[in-house]
Amino acid sequence: MGSKELRLYIASEKDILEGKITDIYFVRTKKIIKAKGLDNVLVRMEVHLGGLPKGYEWAVYAGLEEALRLLSQRPLTVYSLPEGTLVKEYFPVMIIEGRYYDICELETSILGILRHYTSVATRAARIKRLAMNKTILYFGLRGAHPAIAPMLDRAAYIGGVDAVSGAFNEETIGVKPSGTMPHALIIVFGDPVKAWKAFDEVVEPGVPRIALIDTFNDERNEALLAARALGRRLYGIRFDTPKSRRGDMKLLIEEVKWTLHLYGYDNIKIVVSGGINEETIVKLRDVADAFGVGTSITYPKPIDMSMDIVEVYKDNGWVPITKRGKMPGAKRVLRCDVLNYEVISWNERPRKCDEELMVKWLDKGVLVRKLPSIKEIRDYVLKQLSKVPEPTPID
């Protein structure tokens, strides 16, 4: 046996809030600023989107609550768009005001939170927009480190999925988790009918009875077995057919639905999981009632974000300044309608829009605005999605 102890390589909440989870050059920068007496320099920093992935026309801004939790540990004033706002590329989403000395080493974590959240929520929203009236279940936790499982479920739910699978979700985000059975349950019983009946006997009545129908036999035969075994209690059947057995999934589902119809089981819902992405949603949405989506949401196309000084306080006033290639000056964002915005300088009067989106959330580290519930954020996203065109499927 070795002398090294086993561990999980994860950051603690305490280390994140204290700014220890950062890039080394920020630690060195802070040390230099302090040594040279520049620790009282006041700045305004802007977080903004860079370019969107090819073919994307919008992103869902997410992660605000966690970013505010981190920034509230310092005497910083923060303005931001509401979490869940649909935004465009090269677009400001947050202004942080205070001593650069207090902001410096938080940049790594702030961008990490906002970029990852926004990327996951955006992919979830694209999938939900393509499915729209069909149910989307997020089953992607097994594709990522367990330390971020609560964040992934929250981001996906904000993006518009109808349900998330994490068993912890009632404690973390107040959402009841969803999910039925794995193939392992059926293999342990050695008989799908016994497994389905055991599930029906043991699991609380409020959980829908959805039978997994492709473990041992032909999907059409197992669908009929499930319907006959559970009768009216069967809510739906789930296809999770391996790629090596699929062929044309749409034809397979149509065959099973036709057979169930012949035997009078028209009420049974069709759930499809396993490798579902934007393209398969479009292909199968006419024949399926629900989709279990995992990897496509867990590993989305990344949404780029940057964080830059845009103003410095000098001689009793804010002076616009930034590195080349960036737009100097703090900016306000006003909305006329979804994706129809007006971006103006901080003290400029709006010319066409009147809904102020860049609003104050923290005043010197103190929360000054009520945080919305996750349901309110999700409803906000869905309302906006109903007003944008269907995206072109990209995977």
Side-chain angles (χ1 to χ4, degrees), residues 183 212 214 218-219 238-256 271-277 279-281 283-284 291-293:
H183 289 100
L212 189 55
D214 54 14
D218 176 81
E219 289 84 355
R238 178 160 71 94
F239 293 77
D240 196 54
T241 307
K243 290 182 180 179
S244 62
R245 296 288 191 271
R246 281 194 180 187
D248 189 317
M249 180 59 95
K250 185 172 184 179
L251 289 177
L252 177 59
I253 294 171
E254 289 175 336
E255 177 188 338
V256 172
V271 183
V272 187
S273 60
I276 301 297
N277 57 29
E279 292 179 351
T280 50
I281 292 283
K283 184 177 181 180
L284 301 179
F291 297 93
V293 186

PDB file of all heavy atoms in Angstrom, residues 183 212 214 218-219 238-256 271-277 279-281 283-284 291-293:
ATOM      1  N   HIS A 183     -31.457  -0.503 -17.092  1.00  0.00           N
ATOM      2  CA  HIS A 183     -31.428  -1.878 -17.577  1.00  0.00           C
ATOM      3  C   HIS A 183     -30.964  -2.839 -16.481  1.00  0.00           C
ATOM      4  O   HIS A 183     -31.374  -4.008 -16.444  1.00  0.00           O
ATOM      5  CB  HIS A 183     -30.468  -2.000 -18.776  1.00  0.00           C
ATOM      6  CG  HIS A 183     -30.976  -1.351 -20.020  1.00  0.00           C
ATOM      7  ND1 HIS A 183     -30.559  -0.110 -20.435  1.00  0.00           N
ATOM      8  CD2 HIS A 183     -31.886  -1.763 -20.943  1.00  0.00           C
ATOM      9  CE1 HIS A 183     -31.178   0.208 -21.563  1.00  0.00           C
ATOM     10  NE2 HIS A 183     -31.983  -0.769 -21.897  1.00  0.00           N
ATOM     11  N   LEU A 212     -38.995   0.234 -19.315  1.00  0.00           N
ATOM     12  CA  LEU A 212     -37.872   0.156 -20.258  1.00  0.00           C
ATOM     13  C   LEU A 212     -38.050  -1.130 -21.061  1.00  0.00           C
ATOM     14  O   LEU A 212     -38.133  -2.221 -20.486  1.00  0.00           O
ATOM     15  CB  LEU A 212     -36.570   0.132 -19.458  1.00  0.00           C
ATOM     16  CG  LEU A 212     -35.251   0.253 -20.205  1.00  0.00           C
ATOM     17  CD1 LEU A 212     -35.200   1.504 -21.070  1.00  0.00           C
ATOM     18  CD2 LEU A 212     -34.098   0.258 -19.201  1.00  0.00           C
ATOM     19  N   ASP A 214     -36.314  -2.589 -23.916  1.00  0.00           N
ATOM     20  CA  ASP A 214     -35.378  -3.123 -24.913  1.00  0.00           C
ATOM     21  C   ASP A 214     -34.199  -3.878 -24.300  1.00  0.00           C
ATOM     22  O   ASP A 214     -33.111  -3.885 -24.863  1.00  0.00           O
ATOM     23  CB  ASP A 214     -34.865  -1.973 -25.799  1.00  0.00           C
ATOM     24  CG  ASP A 214     -34.279  -0.837 -24.967  1.00  0.00           C
ATOM     25  OD1 ASP A 214     -34.024  -1.030 -23.771  1.00  0.00           O
ATOM     26  OD2 ASP A 214     -34.084   0.254 -25.526  1.00  0.00           O
ATOM     27  N   ASP A 218     -37.251  -8.132 -28.552  1.00  0.00           N
ATOM     28  CA  ASP A 218     -37.693  -7.161 -29.541  1.00  0.00           C
ATOM     29  C   ASP A 218     -38.582  -6.098 -28.879  1.00  0.00           C
ATOM     30  O   ASP A 218     -39.428  -6.428 -28.036  1.00  0.00           O
ATOM     31  CB  ASP A 218     -38.480  -7.900 -30.632  1.00  0.00           C
ATOM     32  CG  ASP A 218     -39.052  -6.959 -31.661  1.00  0.00           C
ATOM     33  OD1 ASP A 218     -38.308  -6.570 -32.554  1.00  0.00           O
ATOM     34  OD2 ASP A 218     -40.246  -6.617 -31.542  1.00  0.00           O
ATOM     35  N   GLU A 219     -38.389  -4.838 -29.256  1.00  0.00           N
ATOM     36  CA  GLU A 219     -39.124  -3.740 -28.623  1.00  0.00           C
ATOM     37  C   GLU A 219     -40.634  -3.887 -28.781  1.00  0.00           C
ATOM     38  O   GLU A 219     -41.390  -3.565 -27.858  1.00  0.00           O
ATOM     39  CB  GLU A 219     -38.674  -2.395 -29.222  1.00  0.00           C
ATOM     40  CG  GLU A 219     -37.277  -1.960 -28.836  1.00  0.00           C
ATOM     41  CD  GLU A 219     -36.180  -2.545 -29.687  1.00  0.00           C
ATOM     42  OE1 GLU A 219     -36.500  -3.410 -30.556  1.00  0.00           O
ATOM     43  OE2 GLU A 219     -35.022  -2.148 -29.517  1.00  0.00           O
ATOM     44  N   ARG A 238     -40.146   3.212 -22.572  1.00  0.00           N
ATOM     45  CA  ARG A 238     -38.937   3.943 -22.931  1.00  0.00           C
ATOM     46  C   ARG A 238     -38.044   3.115 -23.836  1.00  0.00           C
ATOM     47  O   ARG A 238     -37.709   1.979 -23.520  1.00  0.00           O
ATOM     48  CB  ARG A 238     -38.161   4.358 -21.675  1.00  0.00           C
ATOM     49  CG  ARG A 238     -36.856   5.091 -21.994  1.00  0.00           C
ATOM     50  CD  ARG A 238     -36.348   5.894 -20.821  1.00  0.00           C
ATOM     51  NE  ARG A 238     -35.829   5.106 -19.739  1.00  0.00           N
ATOM     52  CZ  ARG A 238     -34.545   4.789 -19.573  1.00  0.00           C
ATOM     53  NH1 ARG A 238     -33.650   5.183 -20.477  1.00  0.00           N
ATOM     54  NH2 ARG A 238     -34.151   4.099 -18.535  1.00  0.00           N
ATOM     55  N   PHE A 239     -37.671   3.720 -24.962  1.00  0.00           N
ATOM     56  CA  PHE A 239     -36.699   3.135 -25.882  1.00  0.00           C
ATOM     57  C   PHE A 239     -35.312   3.662 -25.505  1.00  0.00           C
ATOM     58  O   PHE A 239     -35.087   4.872 -25.499  1.00  0.00           O
ATOM     59  CB  PHE A 239     -36.985   3.563 -27.326  1.00  0.00           C
ATOM     60  CG  PHE A 239     -38.257   3.042 -27.913  1.00  0.00           C
ATOM     61  CD1 PHE A 239     -39.487   3.595 -27.571  1.00  0.00           C
ATOM     62  CD2 PHE A 239     -38.230   2.007 -28.836  1.00  0.00           C
ATOM     63  CE1 PHE A 239     -40.659   3.134 -28.131  1.00  0.00           C
ATOM     64  CE2 PHE A 239     -39.405   1.538 -29.411  1.00  0.00           C
ATOM     65  CZ  PHE A 239     -40.624   2.094 -29.051  1.00  0.00           C
ATOM     66  N   ASP A 240     -34.399   2.772 -25.210  1.00  0.00           N
ATOM     67  CA  ASP A 240     -33.003   3.155 -24.974  1.00  0.00           C
ATOM     68  C   ASP A 240     -32.115   2.195 -25.772  1.00  0.00           C
ATOM     69  O   ASP A 240     -31.061   1.763 -25.314  1.00  0.00           O
ATOM     70  CB  ASP A 240     -32.678   3.096 -23.484  1.00  0.00           C
ATOM     71  CG  ASP A 240     -31.393   3.834 -23.154  1.00  0.00           C
ATOM     72  OD1 ASP A 240     -31.286   5.008 -23.504  1.00  0.00           O
ATOM     73  OD2 ASP A 240     -30.497   3.231 -22.543  1.00  0.00           O
ATOM     74  N   THR A 241     -32.594   1.868 -26.963  1.00  0.00           N
ATOM     75  CA  THR A 241     -31.994   0.834 -27.811  1.00  0.00           C
ATOM     76  C   THR A 241     -30.558   1.181 -28.196  1.00  0.00           C
ATOM     77  O   THR A 241     -30.293   2.294 -28.643  1.00  0.00           O
ATOM     78  CB  THR A 241     -32.839   0.664 -29.089  1.00  0.00           C
ATOM     79  OG1 THR A 241     -34.194   0.433 -28.703  1.00  0.00           O
ATOM     80  CG2 THR A 241     -32.343  -0.499 -29.910  1.00  0.00           C
ATOM     81  N   PRO A 242     -29.607   0.262 -28.013  1.00  0.00           N
ATOM     82  CA  PRO A 242     -28.215   0.530 -28.407  1.00  0.00           C
ATOM     83  C   PRO A 242     -28.094   0.830 -29.895  1.00  0.00           C
ATOM     84  O   PRO A 242     -28.913   0.384 -30.713  1.00  0.00           O
ATOM     85  CB  PRO A 242     -27.498  -0.784 -28.067  1.00  0.00           C
ATOM     86  CG  PRO A 242     -28.381  -1.472 -27.089  1.00  0.00           C
ATOM     87  CD  PRO A 242     -29.776  -1.072 -27.432  1.00  0.00           C
ATOM     88  N   LYS A 243     -27.071   1.587 -30.264  1.00  0.00           N
ATOM     89  CA  LYS A 243     -26.869   1.949 -31.662  1.00  0.00           C
ATOM     90  C   LYS A 243     -26.746   0.723 -32.560  1.00  0.00           C
ATOM     91  O   LYS A 243     -27.185   0.728 -33.710  1.00  0.00           O
ATOM     92  CB  LYS A 243     -25.616   2.818 -31.791  1.00  0.00           C
ATOM     93  CG  LYS A 243     -25.760   4.205 -31.212  1.00  0.00           C
ATOM     94  CD  LYS A 243     -24.496   5.017 -31.419  1.00  0.00           C
ATOM     95  CE  LYS A 243     -24.645   6.418 -30.838  1.00  0.00           C
ATOM     96  NZ  LYS A 243     -23.403   7.221 -31.005  1.00  0.00           N
ATOM     97  N   SER A 244     -26.146  -0.334 -32.025  1.00  0.00           N
ATOM     98  CA  SER A 244     -25.942  -1.543 -32.836  1.00  0.00           C
ATOM     99  C   SER A 244     -27.243  -2.240 -33.185  1.00  0.00           C
ATOM    100  O   SER A 244     -27.267  -3.121 -34.037  1.00  0.00           O
ATOM    101  CB  SER A 244     -25.026  -2.511 -32.089  1.00  0.00           C
ATOM    102  OG  SER A 244     -25.615  -2.926 -30.862  1.00  0.00           O
ATOM    103  N   ARG A 245     -28.349  -1.874 -32.542  1.00  0.00           N
ATOM    104  CA  ARG A 245     -29.636  -2.530 -32.785  1.00  0.00           C
ATOM    105  C   ARG A 245     -30.691  -1.582 -33.352  1.00  0.00           C
ATOM    106  O   ARG A 245     -31.806  -1.975 -33.603  1.00  0.00           O
ATOM    107  CB  ARG A 245     -30.176  -3.102 -31.457  1.00  0.00           C
ATOM    108  CG  ARG A 245     -29.326  -4.188 -30.836  1.00  0.00           C
ATOM    109  CD  ARG A 245     -29.421  -5.489 -31.637  1.00  0.00           C
ATOM    110  NE  ARG A 245     -28.806  -6.591 -30.906  1.00  0.00           N
ATOM    111  CZ  ARG A 245     -27.527  -6.921 -31.002  1.00  0.00           C
ATOM    112  NH1 ARG A 245     -26.739  -6.215 -31.793  1.00  0.00           N
ATOM    113  NH2 ARG A 245     -27.038  -7.943 -30.326  1.00  0.00           N
ATOM    114  N   ARG A 246     -30.333  -0.325 -33.537  1.00  0.00           N
ATOM    115  CA  ARG A 246     -31.365   0.662 -33.829  1.00  0.00           C
ATOM    116  C   ARG A 246     -31.924   0.622 -35.241  1.00  0.00           C
ATOM    117  O   ARG A 246     -33.112   0.614 -35.440  1.00  0.00           O
ATOM    118  CB  ARG A 246     -30.835   2.071 -33.539  1.00  0.00           C
ATOM    119  CG  ARG A 246     -30.871   2.397 -32.068  1.00  0.00           C
ATOM    120  CD  ARG A 246     -30.671   3.869 -31.818  1.00  0.00           C
ATOM    121  NE  ARG A 246     -30.713   4.129 -30.387  1.00  0.00           N
ATOM    122  CZ  ARG A 246     -30.706   5.327 -29.861  1.00  0.00           C
ATOM    123  NH1 ARG A 246     -30.658   6.382 -30.644  1.00  0.00           N
ATOM    124  NH2 ARG A 246     -30.751   5.491 -28.555  1.00  0.00           N
ATOM    125  N   GLY A 247     -31.080   0.681 -36.240  1.00  0.00           N
ATOM    126  CA  GLY A 247     -31.607   0.890 -37.581  1.00  0.00           C
ATOM    127  C   GLY A 247     -32.231   2.268 -37.647  1.00  0.00           C
ATOM    128  O   GLY A 247     -31.656   3.242 -37.169  1.00  0.00           O
ATOM    129  N   ASP A 248     -33.420   2.364 -38.189  1.00  0.00           N
ATOM    130  CA  ASP A 248     -34.133   3.631 -38.256  1.00  0.00           C
ATOM    131  C   ASP A 248     -35.051   3.732 -37.039  1.00  0.00           C
ATOM    132  O   ASP A 248     -36.090   3.070 -36.969  1.00  0.00           O
ATOM    133  CB  ASP A 248     -34.939   3.705 -39.553  1.00  0.00           C
ATOM    134  CG  ASP A 248     -35.531   5.081 -39.791  1.00  0.00           C
ATOM    135  OD1 ASP A 248     -36.047   5.676 -38.830  1.00  0.00           O
ATOM    136  OD2 ASP A 248     -35.482   5.561 -40.941  1.00  0.00           O
ATOM    137  N   MET A 249     -34.684   4.571 -36.066  1.00  0.00           N
ATOM    138  CA  MET A 249     -35.445   4.652 -34.820  1.00  0.00           C
ATOM    139  C   MET A 249     -36.881   5.123 -35.046  1.00  0.00           C
ATOM    140  O   MET A 249     -37.811   4.664 -34.375  1.00  0.00           O
ATOM    141  CB  MET A 249     -34.716   5.578 -33.835  1.00  0.00           C
ATOM    142  CG  MET A 249     -35.421   5.743 -32.498  1.00  0.00           C
ATOM    143  SD  MET A 249     -35.651   4.170 -31.624  1.00  0.00           S
ATOM    144  CE  MET A 249     -34.210   4.178 -30.576  1.00  0.00           C
ATOM    145  N   LYS A 250     -37.067   6.021 -35.997  1.00  0.00           N
ATOM    146  CA  LYS A 250     -38.418   6.502 -36.250  1.00  0.00           C
ATOM    147  C   LYS A 250     -39.316   5.368 -36.734  1.00  0.00           C
ATOM    148  O   LYS A 250     -40.462   5.231 -36.272  1.00  0.00           O
ATOM    149  CB  LYS A 250     -38.387   7.625 -37.287  1.00  0.00           C
ATOM    150  CG  LYS A 250     -39.757   8.261 -37.512  1.00  0.00           C
ATOM    151  CD  LYS A 250     -39.676   9.491 -38.399  1.00  0.00           C
ATOM    152  CE  LYS A 250     -41.035  10.159 -38.518  1.00  0.00           C
ATOM    153  NZ  LYS A 250     -40.989  11.384 -39.365  1.00  0.00           N
ATOM    154  N   LEU A 251     -38.803   4.537 -37.644  1.00  0.00           N
ATOM    155  CA  LEU A 251     -39.602   3.399 -38.120  1.00  0.00           C
ATOM    156  C   LEU A 251     -39.874   2.405 -36.996  1.00  0.00           C
ATOM    157  O   LEU A 251     -40.963   1.823 -36.910  1.00  0.00           O
ATOM    158  CB  LEU A 251     -38.869   2.700 -39.268  1.00  0.00           C
ATOM    159  CG  LEU A 251     -38.801   3.466 -40.596  1.00  0.00           C
ATOM    160  CD1 LEU A 251     -37.974   2.684 -41.614  1.00  0.00           C
ATOM    161  CD2 LEU A 251     -40.207   3.737 -41.136  1.00  0.00           C
ATOM    162  N   LEU A 252     -38.887   2.214 -36.121  1.00  0.00           N
ATOM    163  CA  LEU A 252     -39.063   1.300 -34.992  1.00  0.00           C
ATOM    164  C   LEU A 252     -40.177   1.791 -34.075  1.00  0.00           C
ATOM    165  O   LEU A 252     -41.046   1.005 -33.656  1.00  0.00           O
ATOM    166  CB  LEU A 252     -37.744   1.170 -34.227  1.00  0.00           C
ATOM    167  CG  LEU A 252     -37.755   0.302 -32.966  1.00  0.00           C
ATOM    168  CD1 LEU A 252     -38.168  -1.116 -33.292  1.00  0.00           C
ATOM    169  CD2 LEU A 252     -36.381   0.334 -32.299  1.00  0.00           C
ATOM    170  N   ILE A 253     -40.161   3.084 -33.750  1.00  0.00           N
ATOM    171  CA  ILE A 253     -41.207   3.640 -32.883  1.00  0.00           C
ATOM    172  C   ILE A 253     -42.573   3.534 -33.555  1.00  0.00           C
ATOM    173  O   ILE A 253     -43.568   3.169 -32.918  1.00  0.00           O
ATOM    174  CB  ILE A 253     -40.879   5.105 -32.543  1.00  0.00           C
ATOM    175  CG1 ILE A 253     -39.620   5.180 -31.680  1.00  0.00           C
ATOM    176  CG2 ILE A 253     -42.049   5.767 -31.816  1.00  0.00           C
ATOM    177  CD1 ILE A 253     -39.097   6.584 -31.485  1.00  0.00           C
ATOM    178  N   GLU A 254     -42.635   3.831 -34.843  1.00  0.00           N
ATOM    179  CA  GLU A 254     -43.909   3.744 -35.556  1.00  0.00           C
ATOM    180  C   GLU A 254     -44.456   2.324 -35.551  1.00  0.00           C
ATOM    181  O   GLU A 254     -45.668   2.107 -35.418  1.00  0.00           O
ATOM    182  CB  GLU A 254     -43.739   4.251 -36.991  1.00  0.00           C
ATOM    183  CG  GLU A 254     -43.549   5.766 -37.072  1.00  0.00           C
ATOM    184  CD  GLU A 254     -43.272   6.245 -38.483  1.00  0.00           C
ATOM    185  OE1 GLU A 254     -42.789   5.425 -39.302  1.00  0.00           O
ATOM    186  OE2 GLU A 254     -43.527   7.432 -38.772  1.00  0.00           O
ATOM    187  N   GLU A 255     -43.547   1.345 -35.680  1.00  0.00           N
ATOM    188  CA  GLU A 255     -43.964  -0.067 -35.640  1.00  0.00           C
ATOM    189  C   GLU A 255     -44.554  -0.416 -34.276  1.00  0.00           C
ATOM    190  O   GLU A 255     -45.609  -1.064 -34.182  1.00  0.00           O
ATOM    191  CB  GLU A 255     -42.760  -0.957 -35.934  1.00  0.00           C
ATOM    192  CG  GLU A 255     -43.058  -2.452 -35.844  1.00  0.00           C
ATOM    193  CD  GLU A 255     -41.799  -3.291 -35.960  1.00  0.00           C
ATOM    194  OE1 GLU A 255     -40.797  -2.799 -36.515  1.00  0.00           O
ATOM    195  OE2 GLU A 255     -41.817  -4.440 -35.469  1.00  0.00           O
ATOM    196  N   VAL A 256     -43.895   0.017 -33.216  1.00  0.00           N
ATOM    197  CA  VAL A 256     -44.378  -0.275 -31.870  1.00  0.00           C
ATOM    198  C   VAL A 256     -45.699   0.437 -31.600  1.00  0.00           C
ATOM    199  O   VAL A 256     -46.644  -0.150 -31.054  1.00  0.00           O
ATOM    200  CB  VAL A 256     -43.312   0.119 -30.824  1.00  0.00           C
ATOM    201  CG1 VAL A 256     -43.879   0.009 -29.410  1.00  0.00           C
ATOM    202  CG2 VAL A 256     -42.089  -0.776 -30.955  1.00  0.00           C
ATOM    203  N   VAL A 271     -41.286   7.368 -24.799  1.00  0.00           N
ATOM    204  CA  VAL A 271     -40.114   8.085 -24.306  1.00  0.00           C
ATOM    205  C   VAL A 271     -38.884   7.509 -24.998  1.00  0.00           C
ATOM    206  O   VAL A 271     -38.727   6.288 -25.082  1.00  0.00           O
ATOM    207  CB  VAL A 271     -39.972   7.939 -22.779  1.00  0.00           C
ATOM    208  CG1 VAL A 271     -38.780   8.756 -22.270  1.00  0.00           C
ATOM    209  CG2 VAL A 271     -41.257   8.361 -22.070  1.00  0.00           C
ATOM    210  N   VAL A 272     -38.003   8.392 -25.487  1.00  0.00           N
ATOM    211  CA  VAL A 272     -36.798   7.940 -26.187  1.00  0.00           C
ATOM    212  C   VAL A 272     -35.578   8.545 -25.502  1.00  0.00           C
ATOM    213  O   VAL A 272     -35.549   9.741 -25.198  1.00  0.00           O
ATOM    214  CB  VAL A 272     -36.807   8.362 -27.675  1.00  0.00           C
ATOM    215  CG1 VAL A 272     -35.630   7.719 -28.413  1.00  0.00           C
ATOM    216  CG2 VAL A 272     -38.121   7.975 -28.334  1.00  0.00           C
ATOM    217  N   SER A 273     -34.562   7.711 -25.272  1.00  0.00           N
ATOM    218  CA  SER A 273     -33.315   8.199 -24.675  1.00  0.00           C
ATOM    219  C   SER A 273     -32.141   7.496 -25.341  1.00  0.00           C
ATOM    220  O   SER A 273     -32.315   6.575 -26.131  1.00  0.00           O
ATOM    221  CB  SER A 273     -33.313   7.948 -23.160  1.00  0.00           C
ATOM    222  OG  SER A 273     -33.435   6.559 -22.878  1.00  0.00           O
ATOM    223  N   GLY A 274     -30.936   7.962 -25.006  1.00  0.00           N
ATOM    224  CA  GLY A 274     -29.740   7.336 -25.565  1.00  0.00           C
ATOM    225  C   GLY A 274     -29.226   8.061 -26.790  1.00  0.00           C
ATOM    226  O   GLY A 274     -29.734   7.871 -27.891  1.00  0.00           O
ATOM    227  N   GLY A 275     -28.239   8.942 -26.605  1.00  0.00           N
ATOM    228  CA  GLY A 275     -27.646   9.643 -27.739  1.00  0.00           C
ATOM    229  C   GLY A 275     -28.533  10.683 -28.385  1.00  0.00           C
ATOM    230  O   GLY A 275     -28.353  11.022 -29.562  1.00  0.00           O
ATOM    231  N   ILE A 276     -29.483  11.231 -27.636  1.00  0.00           N
ATOM    232  CA  ILE A 276     -30.400  12.208 -28.208  1.00  0.00           C
ATOM    233  C   ILE A 276     -29.696  13.564 -28.335  1.00  0.00           C
ATOM    234  O   ILE A 276     -29.090  14.061 -27.388  1.00  0.00           O
ATOM    235  CB  ILE A 276     -31.656  12.367 -27.327  1.00  0.00           C
ATOM    236  CG1 ILE A 276     -32.390  11.024 -27.186  1.00  0.00           C
ATOM    237  CG2 ILE A 276     -32.575  13.433 -27.896  1.00  0.00           C
ATOM    238  CD1 ILE A 276     -32.923  10.471 -28.477  1.00  0.00           C
ATOM    239  N   ASN A 277     -29.804  14.164 -29.518  1.00  0.00           N
ATOM    240  CA  ASN A 277     -29.248  15.493 -29.743  1.00  0.00           C
ATOM    241  C   ASN A 277     -30.265  16.339 -30.508  1.00  0.00           C
ATOM    242  O   ASN A 277     -31.421  15.927 -30.682  1.00  0.00           O
ATOM    243  CB  ASN A 277     -27.902  15.408 -30.474  1.00  0.00           C
ATOM    244  CG  ASN A 277     -28.009  14.667 -31.808  1.00  0.00           C
ATOM    245  OD1 ASN A 277     -29.054  14.664 -32.453  1.00  0.00           O
ATOM    246  ND2 ASN A 277     -26.920  14.054 -32.227  1.00  0.00           N
ATOM    247  N   GLU A 279     -30.532  17.079 -33.652  1.00  0.00           N
ATOM    248  CA  GLU A 279     -30.994  16.478 -34.902  1.00  0.00           C
ATOM    249  C   GLU A 279     -31.997  15.356 -34.656  1.00  0.00           C
ATOM    250  O   GLU A 279     -32.995  15.244 -35.384  1.00  0.00           O
ATOM    251  CB  GLU A 279     -29.791  15.961 -35.694  1.00  0.00           C
ATOM    252  CG  GLU A 279     -28.897  17.085 -36.213  1.00  0.00           C
ATOM    253  CD  GLU A 279     -27.692  16.571 -36.973  1.00  0.00           C
ATOM    254  OE1 GLU A 279     -27.456  15.347 -36.953  1.00  0.00           O
ATOM    255  OE2 GLU A 279     -26.980  17.388 -37.590  1.00  0.00           O
ATOM    256  N   THR A 280     -31.739  14.522 -33.630  1.00  0.00           N
ATOM    257  CA  THR A 280     -32.671  13.425 -33.367  1.00  0.00           C
ATOM    258  C   THR A 280     -33.991  13.942 -32.797  1.00  0.00           C
ATOM    259  O   THR A 280     -35.043  13.345 -33.033  1.00  0.00           O
ATOM    260  CB  THR A 280     -32.060  12.373 -32.426  1.00  0.00           C
ATOM    261  OG1 THR A 280     -31.502  13.023 -31.267  1.00  0.00           O
ATOM    262  CG2 THR A 280     -30.983  11.581 -33.106  1.00  0.00           C
ATOM    263  N   ILE A 281     -33.940  15.045 -32.054  1.00  0.00           N
ATOM    264  CA  ILE A 281     -35.187  15.645 -31.573  1.00  0.00           C
ATOM    265  C   ILE A 281     -36.078  16.003 -32.753  1.00  0.00           C
ATOM    266  O   ILE A 281     -37.273  15.690 -32.785  1.00  0.00           O
ATOM    267  CB  ILE A 281     -34.897  16.920 -30.737  1.00  0.00           C
ATOM    268  CG1 ILE A 281     -34.203  16.573 -29.412  1.00  0.00           C
ATOM    269  CG2 ILE A 281     -36.182  17.716 -30.497  1.00  0.00           C
ATOM    270  CD1 ILE A 281     -35.081  16.030 -28.342  1.00  0.00           C
ATOM    271  N   LYS A 283     -35.997  14.825 -35.788  1.00  0.00           N
ATOM    272  CA  LYS A 283     -36.404  13.633 -36.535  1.00  0.00           C
ATOM    273  C   LYS A 283     -37.519  12.858 -35.839  1.00  0.00           C
ATOM    274  O   LYS A 283     -38.414  12.302 -36.507  1.00  0.00           O
ATOM    275  CB  LYS A 283     -35.201  12.714 -36.751  1.00  0.00           C
ATOM    276  CG  LYS A 283     -35.515  11.491 -37.601  1.00  0.00           C
ATOM    277  CD  LYS A 283     -34.271  10.651 -37.860  1.00  0.00           C
ATOM    278  CE  LYS A 283     -34.616   9.438 -38.729  1.00  0.00           C
ATOM    279  NZ  LYS A 283     -33.421   8.601 -39.005  1.00  0.00           N
ATOM    280  N   LEU A 284     -37.499  12.846 -34.489  1.00  0.00           N
ATOM    281  CA  LEU A 284     -38.412  11.967 -33.755  1.00  0.00           C
ATOM    282  C   LEU A 284     -39.559  12.685 -33.043  1.00  0.00           C
ATOM    283  O   LEU A 284     -40.423  12.033 -32.469  1.00  0.00           O
ATOM    284  CB  LEU A 284     -37.623  11.145 -32.715  1.00  0.00           C
ATOM    285  CG  LEU A 284     -36.505  10.255 -33.257  1.00  0.00           C
ATOM    286  CD1 LEU A 284     -35.801   9.539 -32.106  1.00  0.00           C
ATOM    287  CD2 LEU A 284     -37.048   9.244 -34.257  1.00  0.00           C
ATOM    288  N   PHE A 291     -38.339  12.943 -24.370  1.00  0.00           N
ATOM    289  CA  PHE A 291     -36.953  12.573 -24.664  1.00  0.00           C
ATOM    290  C   PHE A 291     -36.109  12.672 -23.397  1.00  0.00           C
ATOM    291  O   PHE A 291     -36.226  13.636 -22.641  1.00  0.00           O
ATOM    292  CB  PHE A 291     -36.363  13.523 -25.714  1.00  0.00           C
ATOM    293  CG  PHE A 291     -37.039  13.469 -27.049  1.00  0.00           C
ATOM    294  CD1 PHE A 291     -38.078  14.329 -27.353  1.00  0.00           C
ATOM    295  CD2 PHE A 291     -36.636  12.538 -28.005  1.00  0.00           C
ATOM    296  CE1 PHE A 291     -38.709  14.284 -28.582  1.00  0.00           C
ATOM    297  CE2 PHE A 291     -37.257  12.482 -29.244  1.00  0.00           C
ATOM    298  CZ  PHE A 291     -38.297  13.357 -29.538  1.00  0.00           C
ATOM    299  N   GLY A 292     -35.266  11.671 -23.191  1.00  0.00           N
ATOM    300  CA  GLY A 292     -34.261  11.731 -22.148  1.00  0.00           C
ATOM    301  C   GLY A 292     -32.949  12.154 -22.787  1.00  0.00           C
ATOM    302  O   GLY A 292     -32.420  11.455 -23.651  1.00  0.00           O
ATOM    303  N   VAL A 293     -32.434  13.322 -22.399  1.00  0.00           N
ATOM    304  CA  VAL A 293     -31.235  13.886 -23.026  1.00  0.00           C
ATOM    305  C   VAL A 293     -30.120  13.969 -21.992  1.00  0.00           C
ATOM    306  O   VAL A 293     -30.333  14.467 -20.889  1.00  0.00           O
ATOM    307  CB  VAL A 293     -31.512  15.281 -23.619  1.00  0.00           C
ATOM    308  CG1 VAL A 293     -30.296  15.780 -24.387  1.00  0.00           C
ATOM    309  CG2 VAL A 293     -32.744  15.243 -24.519  1.00  0.00           C
TER     310      VAL A 293
END
